[in-house]
Amino acid sequence: MEGVPKDFKMLEIYKDLKDLPEVQDIHDLHIWSITSNFPILTAHIVIKEEKKGQEVLKKANEVLKEKYKINHSTLQLETSFKKECEQANGNCPGS
C-alpha cells in the first residue's frame, strides 16, 4: 500500500535541504512509500544561481541518501518562486 512513511520527519528533511548552500527555498515537498523499504521524495528547490544547479542536486541527493536512506528522489530546480503565482507553481509568467 502506498502511504507516507511514519519514520520520516518532514520538517527535518525540509530544514536539511534548505540549509544547503545556494538554496533559497523548498516547496511542494512530498514523501511517500510504495513498499515499506522504498521511500520516494519529490520537491521543488529554489536556488540562487542557475549555474550552481548540478552542485545543489548532487548535495541534496547526498543528504537524502546518507541521512535518510532515500535513494529515489525527483528534485525540480527553480531560480524564482513567488507565492502569489500559485496557478503557475510559483513561477510567474514573464518573470
Side-chain angles (χ1 to χ4, degrees), residues 28-42:
D28 292 332
L29 175 64
H30 304 280
I31 302 171
W32 69 97
S33 185
I34 295 173
T35 65
S36 60
N37 293 318
F38 194 73
I40 298 170
L41 178 140
T42 61

Side-chain angles (χ1 to χ4, degrees), residues 7-85:
D7 51 342
F8 288 97
K9 295 181 178 141
M10 292 283 284
L11 186 56
E12 186 178 323
I13 294 170
Y14 170 88
K15 287 180 179 179
D16 283 342
L17 292 174
K18 190 158 186 304
D19 286 345
L20 293 172
E22 300 300 322
V23 173
Q24 288 183 312
D25 197 12
I26 307 286
H27 62 98
D28 292 332
L29 175 64
H30 304 280
I31 302 171
W32 69 97
S33 185
I34 295 173
T35 65
S36 60
N37 293 318
F38 194 73
I40 298 170
L41 178 140
T42 61
H44 292 225
I45 301 176
V46 183
I47 58 174
K48 297 173 187 173
E49 293 183 63
E50 190 173 341
K51 66 183 178 183
K52 301 278 187 167
Q54 291 303 309
E55 181 181 324
V56 171
L57 279 175
K58 182 180 178 191
K59 289 179 182 178
N61 279 307
E62 286 173 358
V63 166
L64 294 172
K65 287 177 184 177
E66 292 171 13
K67 187 169 182 179
Y68 299 102
K69 306 298 184 234
I70 297 174
N71 293 306
H72 184 90
S73 63
T74 302
L75 303 173
Q76 179 173 320
L77 299 180
E78 302 171 351
T79 53
S80 64
F81 178 76
K82 297 178 182 151
K83 292 182 192 265
E84 63 270 12
C85 298

